[in-house]
Amino acid sequence: MSRIGVFVCHCGENISRTVDVEQVAKAAGEIPGVAYSCDYKYMCSDPGQTLLKKAVAEHKLDGVLVAACSPRMHEKTFRKAAEAAGLNPYLCEMANIREHCSWVHEDRDMATAKAKDIVKLMVERVRKGKSLAPITVPVTKRALVIGGGIAGIQAALDVADAGHHVIMVERDPSIGGHMAQLSETFPTLDCSQCIMTPKMVDVANHPNITLYTYSEIEKVEGYIGNFQVTVKHKARSVDESKCTGCGVCMTKCPKKKIPNEFDQGHGMRPAIYVPFPQAVPNTPVIDRENCTMFQSGKCGVCAKVCGPGAVDYEQKDTFTVEDVGAIVVATGFKLYTIDRKPEGSPIQGYGEFGYGTIPDIIDGMTFERLASASGPTGGKILRPSDGKEPKQVVFIQCVGSRAREKGISYCSKVCCMYTAKHTMLYHHKVHDGQAYVFFMDARTPGKGYDEFWRRAVEEEEAVYIRGMVSRMYQRGDKIVVMGSDIQVGTQVEIEADLVVLATAVQPQDGADLLAQKLGISYDKYNFYSEAHAKLKPVECATAGIYLAGACQGPKDIPDTVSQASAAAAKVMTLFAKDKLERDPVVAKVNEKYCVGCFACKKVCAYGAIEEKEIRDRQGNLVKKVAYVNPGVCGGCGTCQATCPSKSIELDGYTDEQIMAMIEAL
Amino acid sequence: MHAEHIKHDFEPKIVAFVCTWCTYAGADLAGTSRMQYPSNVRVLKFPCTGRIDPVFILRAFQKGADGVLVSGCHPGDCHYMAGNFHARRRFAAFRALLSFVGVDLNRLQFSWVSAAEGGKWVDVVTELTERVRTMGPMPEFKELEHEEQWSTFAGASVDKSTVLNSPELKEAYDSIG
Ligand SMILES: Cc1cc2nc3c(=O)[nH]c(=O)nc-3n(C[C@H](O)[C@H](O)[C@H](O)COP(=O)(O)OP(=O)(O)OC[C@H]3O[C@@H](n4cnc5c(N)ncnc54)[C@H](O)[C@@H]3O)c2cc1C
Ligand code: SF4
Ligand code: SF4
């Protein structure tokens, strides 16, 4: 490029306050090859863009540099303007003199000198730039939803209702997630199962949804519009196509006393089971670790009683590969359950609470099961140790949450509300009982939430004590709870029959491993990161992957459902087009110099590099060289830095461009 | 918070090679949060640390950098899945080599700065700048440029036209030089 135009932006005063923009424009004008330079108040405004377009025409510019904010902000804007002026958009670059300069330095001389340098470097980049043609790739209009909690269910139903096929992959034997376990839900106290189970059935019956339960993501390849996902179907030991869901096997299984995960270990289930009566699908699964047949080879009762002959002890894990264009991650949360510091975890436990050793100290989800009509006590609040009705119940909020010294500094968001709900449910069920709540604050920012909390305190007689609990221990059949009331400034001691801990909401175990398969980022707790905290709350930085629900951060049901529908809308936007334009920053091989060592192939994480045979006219193999599939190439450039013969090059980041920039240092 | 403007005798030239997805965005965040740091750093953006050829670092030193920073996504968080792992391995070997030829490794810093770590970016850049400031300018490599020792075999100066006799070598030379 020999006729480059440089446009220096004031950004109102954001840049010009610390950077002498006129000087920068002047210095730019003196760089050889720069045919035009100027400064302007707001380059991104309509008149600013018009100025750029006019200058391109008038001065016959063949490359453009806009020195302004971060390219992450306005690169698209200016590339579009350049394109409208007849330039290849990739010959337009931005020099970041705002985020990287005027906003972070106060000394005017030094900031101006730095801005000039940045412009000088970027002029070289423009000079060595090449026209690139956008790559269009087809979009596979099928979506994958990972996780079948309320988030995944909502997203799947929305996308499926829009007419696109959805593959839902759920790790457990049934969909439903945590919401299926809840008794009644704040802030309206409607029965969770009553609003949840119809949606689960909708998923199962939807003609556009393929449901894989008891399945996991094995491998993810490809990119936006074109993912290939390998799904592992764990052996259920029951053939789903034959099973009628009659449940005879479950009633006949001799092994009946296995703690039921769905009831937080407080109910019992057989070795062949569905997690709960309304499970979707209602096909049982054999828990092989607890099955006599699998452990000792003797039994086989379920196979004998099963009419359609669905029980299959020989079943193996199977794999399918699904082509999808978009992925919604909705893997939800788990509850903090540790009573001591697990090995290798930065998160400290609560040994001093006796959680895990004293049976009548339970967590919030267990309380949900006790309060649930379908739970192990049929909805009666009975304590685990002796089945008696507790008359004094202590609820403790923020266990694990907002405790920096214990390793979690965030607020779990739902505990204030569900604890208020628990005190109400308790009061409705045990009229002569008394609920106490230890809390730091009551956080109730949601529609109807504060009113709900007030009701718990003012009408349902829960006693709220502002303060924390320091210690708990068993005395006779009571639990002595020692804490402080910081409002009154005294120590409190309560003899409780039952203690309920509002334990922190944490990401699922293995959330990081799934993220690594998907190539999405996560924070230090393993919650998945959205692309922008405010403006892109459902997109991942990785194109084509969206987030819904508690896997992104603690969330209640209304927020989860909203985010899930938003993720679905993003998927539908993507599917509205048949073809997708992607950034042409991809690697290309110089076949003349490639020596066929395939070092590049080994380091390419995308599997974009193929072996290509070069033959002479007689068809004899001359040599093998590397070939980059531009649809698959992610554009990282690792191959280029690896190639010993420098025969592979990433468009947009060529050695020539980078070296020219370094020369200009 | 206003940083004091102390005029130093020596302003080191710091060059930062960063990836777009994590560190460049982290530096943007430092800007939007109006954090302050020394203005010595010049940032070169790469798609991924995996794209960074050690030759770039050598050339930066040769072209007058007194300190070089290479920064990308945290291990395991690479936007391109594994680019930063390759970078890490490559640079481990490269550091050993640099130290072998006598470059003080305090001038070369590798770090992981995520898009959410504006504060860390400021810390890393400030630390490196101040460290290199106390070390003073780096003369060795600048001299190298004049002597072109890299095309010198066994210490004896050889005519370039005879050494660079294959097109591959010639191209390699041109791409570096
Ligand atoms: C005690 C308690 C009471 C609550 N009460 C209320 C209330 O009254 N009102 C309210 O609004 N909110 C309440 N909440 C919050 C509510 O539970 C959540 O908002 C909601 O469950 C979040 O849904 P989700 O789909 O994001 O996650 P989840 O419900 O956790 O669902 C995630 C699903 O993904 C599956 N999964 C996980 N990992 C994988 C994987 N790798 N591959 C495939 N599948 C996977 C899981 O098996 C699960 O089915 C309460 C929470 C707690 C802890
Ligand atoms: S094989 Fe026997 S123990 Fe195993 S699930 Fe069937 S009936 Fe139960
Ligand atoms: S590393 Fe370079 S030379 Fe080796 S196969 Fe790949 S492109 Fe060809």
Side-chain angles (χ1 to χ4, degrees):
Chain A
M1 308 300 125
S2 52
R3 299 193 60 81
I4 299 168
V6 178
F7 303 83
V8 185
C9 183
H10 298 213
C11 192
E13 285 200 337
N14 278 305
I15 295 171
S16 57
R17 195 180 295 126
T18 30
V19 170
D20 186 336
V21 284
E22 282 160 34
Q23 263 204 52
V24 175
K26 190 161 162 279
E30 285 159 14
I31 302 173
V34 173
Y36 175 78
S37 75
C38 70
D39 59 275
Y40 188 71
K41 198 115 196 130
Y42 287 109
M43 276 311 296
C44 59
S45 68
D46 218 30
Q49 293 187 43
T50 309
L51 171 93
L52 184 143
K53 287 180 217 164
K54 272 200 183 140
V56 170
E58 263 169 44
H59 300 274
K60 302 197 172 44
L61 302 179
D62 56 7
V64 163
L65 179 68
V66 183
C69 50
S70 170
R72 296 172 66 245
M73 189 82 198
H74 272 314
E75 190 176 74
K76 272 203 186 123
T77 314
F78 292 117
R79 286 193 166 166
K80 243 192 220 150
E83 194 172 16
L87 276 182
N88 182 284
Y90 295 91
L91 298 176
C92 168
E93 298 280 353
M94 288 189 74
N96 184 347
I97 59 167
R98 191 179 76 175
E99 282 84 345
H100 287 194
C101 190
S102 72
W103 274 350
V104 286
H105 309 310
E106 284 172 336
D107 186 299
R108 193 170 173 83
D109 291 342
M110 292 179 96
T112 304
K114 180 173 177 180
K116 284 184 193 165
D117 276 3
I118 297 175
V119 167
K120 201 164 80 181
L121 291 183
M122 292 305 293
V123 164
E124 292 313 314
R125 195 177 146 75
V126 176
R127 193 196 306 282
K128 302 287 183 192
K130 277 191 277 183
S131 296
L132 301 178
I135 298 172
T136 51
V137 288
V139 177
T140 307
K141 296 186 182 181
R142 298 170 93 221
L144 169 73
V145 173
I146 310 175
I150 183 60
I153 289 176
Q154 185 64 44
L157 288 174
D158 284 358
V159 175
D161 283 346
H164 304 297
H165 200 92
V166 177
I167 314 284
M168 176 181 275
V169 175
E170 165 60 51
R171 185 163 69 181
D172 285 353
S174 169
I175 56 172
H178 285 101
M179 189 174 162
Q181 285 179 282
L182 302 181
S183 52
E184 289 165 18
T185 52
F186 65 74
T188 44
L189 290 188
D190 37 5
C191 148
S192 188
Q193 294 230 327
C194 312
I195 53 178
M196 183 63 167
T197 40
K199 276 183 176 283
M200 291 162 58
V201 173
D202 284 351
V203 167
N205 294 341
H206 206 296
N208 284 341
I209 299 179
T210 304
L211 176 60
Y212 294 133
T213 53
Y214 212 48
S215 299
E216 279 171 29
I217 303 301
E218 180 76 9
K219 196 162 89 184
V220 180
E221 289 173 302
Y223 52 93
I224 181 169
N226 300 273
F227 294 103
Q228 291 85 43
V229 182
T230 310
V231 182
K232 173 178 167 181
H233 309 278
K234 293 177 279 187
R236 219 181 174 103
S237 314
V238 175
D239 186 337
E240 276 182 87
S241 62
K242 289 189 190 154
C243 173
T244 58
C246 69
V248 169
C249 55
M250 295 191 272
T251 56
K252 300 286 190 228
C253 175
K255 208 92 185 260
K256 286 215 160 56
K257 292 255 147 78
I258 303 161
N260 187 356
E261 298 80 0
F262 186 76
D263 287 328
Q264 303 287 105
H266 290 279
M268 296 300 164
R269 62 159 173 85
I272 185 166
Y273 73 106
V274 293
F276 52 104
Q278 303 85 343
V280 169
N282 65 353
T283 315
V285 50
I286 295 183
D287 163 8
R288 292 186 171 185
E289 267 163 41
N290 283 303
C291 166
T292 326
M293 186 70 182
F294 279 96
Q295 294 310 320
S296 64
K298 283 182 245 125
C299 183
V301 171
C302 52
K304 270 179 231 134
V305 299
C306 177
V311 175
D312 177 3
Y313 304 119
E314 304 295 317
Q315 210 179 55
K316 299 241 156 29
D317 293 351
T318 55
F319 296 86
T320 51
V321 178
E322 303 289 341
D323 289 316
V324 295
I327 300 176
V328 177
V329 188
T331 49
F333 67 99
K334 70 159 191 181
L335 281 180
Y336 182 102
T337 51
I338 40 183
D339 49 342
R340 65 194 78 79
K341 183 174 156 36
E343 218 170 296
S345 164
I347 290 162
Q348 310 279 329
Y350 275 85
E352 67 269 38
F353 279 6
Y355 178 46
T357 47
I358 303 175
D360 293 331
I361 302 182
I362 61 173
D363 67 8
M365 194 50 88
T366 308
F367 190 87
E368 294 284 343
R369 294 313 300 148
L370 295 183
S372 169
S374 67
T377 54
K380 291 202 184 81
I381 307 293
L382 302 176
R383 61 185 208 167
S385 65
D386 53 11
K388 281 193 198 141
E389 195 175 66
K391 299 294 178 194
Q392 300 234 64
V393 180
V394 170
F395 293 87
I396 306 175
Q397 291 190 183
C398 293
V399 175
S401 314
R402 304 171 66 201
R404 220 171 311 162
E405 66 291 350
K406 295 276 188 186
I408 294 180
S409 48
Y410 59 83
C411 162
S412 290
K413 211 171 169 184
V414 289
C415 331
C416 287
M417 285 300 290
Y418 77 62
T419 301
K421 171 182 79 177
H422 288 173
T423 66
M424 288 186 198
L425 296 178
Y426 174 63
H427 192 233
H428 296 171
K429 288 172 192 267
V430 183
H431 299 292
D432 57 344
Q434 180 61 55
Y436 299 91
V437 181
F438 281 92
F439 77 126
M440 293 207 268
D441 317 274
R443 299 187 160 180
T444 54
K447 196 168 170 180
Y449 282 17
D450 204 60
E451 295 87 328
F452 183 82
W453 182 75
R454 295 231 147 261
R455 201 173 116 200
V457 181
E458 288 163 8
E459 293 168 32
E460 312 261 4
E461 295 161 20
V463 173
Y464 270 72
I465 304 165
R466 197 182 287 269
M468 272 311 277
V469 170
S470 54
R471 204 162 90 84
M472 287 192 280
Y473 60 92
Q474 186 99 46
R475 186 198 287 154
D477 71 343
K478 302 273 183 193
I479 301 159
V480 181
V481 181
M482 300 174 64
S484 53
D485 184 332
I486 56 170
Q487 240 154 8
V488 188
T490 53
Q491 296 296 311
V492 239
E493 196 182 294
I494 299 169
E495 284 205 335
D497 299 309
L498 181 70
V499 175
V500 184
L501 307 182
T503 50
V505 167
Q506 284 187 288
Q508 292 277 3
D509 291 326
D512 49 346
L513 300 179
L514 180 63
Q516 287 165 11
K517 283 181 193 163
L518 289 161
I520 61 174
S521 46
Y522 47 93
D523 67 16
K524 67 171 175 183
Y525 301 107
N526 288 358
F527 284 118
Y528 298 142
S529 305
E530 61 284 354
H532 189 285
K534 282 158 274 180
L535 301 178
K536 290 185 174 179
V538 301
E539 293 102 319
C540 287
T542 307
I545 304 186
Y546 309 95
L547 300 173
C551 60
Q552 181 240 1
K555 251 179 222 86
D556 56 25
I557 297 164
D559 282 1
T560 296
V561 172
S562 312
Q563 197 188 16
S565 284
K570 292 285 171 192
V571 172
M572 291 176 303
T573 311
L574 176 64
F575 289 178
K577 291 189 217 117
D578 295 324
K579 287 223 156 121
L580 184 81
E581 262 194 20
R582 60 154 299 186
D583 209 21
V585 174
V586 292
K588 286 200 185 96
V589 175
N590 182 338
E591 294 180 355
K592 225 163 88 198
Y593 292 141
C594 172
V595 296
C597 67
F598 299 108
C600 51
K601 192 176 173 184
K602 276 190 217 115
V603 299
C604 178
Y606 294 85
I609 296 174
E610 296 159 16
E611 300 190 10
K612 176 177 166 187
E613 294 181 346
I614 302 227
R615 292 179 182 276
D616 63 14
R617 248 173 266 166
Q618 282 75 46
N620 304 315
L621 184 65
V622 179
K623 64 171 181 174
K624 273 193 185 172
V625 294
Y627 167 76
V628 180
N629 180 338
V632 184
C633 172
C636 65
T638 304
C639 55
Q640 185 173 3
T642 306
C643 174
S645 68
K646 299 267 165 261
S647 356
I648 192 163
E649 191 147 74
L650 184 65
D651 276 340
Y653 292 91
T654 61
D655 275 351
E656 205 189 353
Q657 269 177 311
I658 294 161
M659 278 302 186
M661 290 170 79
I662 297 175
E663 292 308 297
L665 277 174
Chain B
M1 214 178 56
H2 278 245
E4 282 206 24
H5 298 306
I6 312 159
K7 292 278 177 204
H8 298 276
D9 296 339
F10 169 53
E11 287 298 345
K13 197 180 251 188
I14 307 291
V15 179
F17 296 119
V18 307
C19 80
T20 300
W21 299 95
C22 294
T23 306
Y24 194 90
D28 273 2
L29 181 63
T32 29
S33 325
R34 311 295 199 277
M35 295 168 175
Q36 298 289 311
Y37 57 88
S39 65
N40 306 54
V41 65
R42 304 290 178 264
V43 173
L44 265 72
K45 182 166 72 101
F46 291 81
C48 174
T49 45
R51 170 67 189 91
I52 301 171
D53 192 323
V55 169
F56 301 154
I57 300 173
L58 283 178
R59 192 58 174 159
F61 276 130
Q62 207 179 0
K63 288 309 271 183
D66 301 298
V68 172
L69 171 67
V70 178
S71 182
C73 307
H74 287 259
D77 298 356
C78 179
H79 177 78
Y80 300 100
M81 304 195 264
N84 59 357
F85 279 117
H86 295 296
R88 188 161 64 166
R89 234 173 289 157
R90 192 184 301 142
F91 293 133
F94 177 63
R95 274 177 75 87
L97 198 75
L98 266 192
S99 144
F100 178 74
V101 299
V103 173
D104 190 335
L105 291 183
N106 283 318
R107 294 185 182 275
L108 177 59
Q109 168 102 31
F110 295 94
S111 72
W112 317 115
V113 174
S114 79
E117 294 175 328
K120 187 170 175 201
W121 166 253
V122 170
D123 292 346
V124 168
V125 169
T126 310
E127 258 175 56
L128 179 64
T129 309
E130 295 316 324
R131 189 167 71 221
V132 172
R133 196 196 299 286
T134 62
M135 293 171 73
M138 186 168 120
E140 312 96 82
F141 262 72
K142 282 169 218 163
E143 282 156 19
L144 262 186
E145 191 185 14
H146 305 299
E147 293 172 19
E148 292 292 13
Q149 286 181 355
W150 83 279
S151 61
T152 302
F153 292 148
S157 211
V158 188
D159 181 6
K160 249 194 280 179
S161 59
T162 61
V163 174
L164 300 172
N165 47 8
S166 76
E168 284 85 359
L169 258 180
K170 180 92 177 57
E171 197 195 67
Y173 175 81
D174 288 341
S175 78
I176 302 167

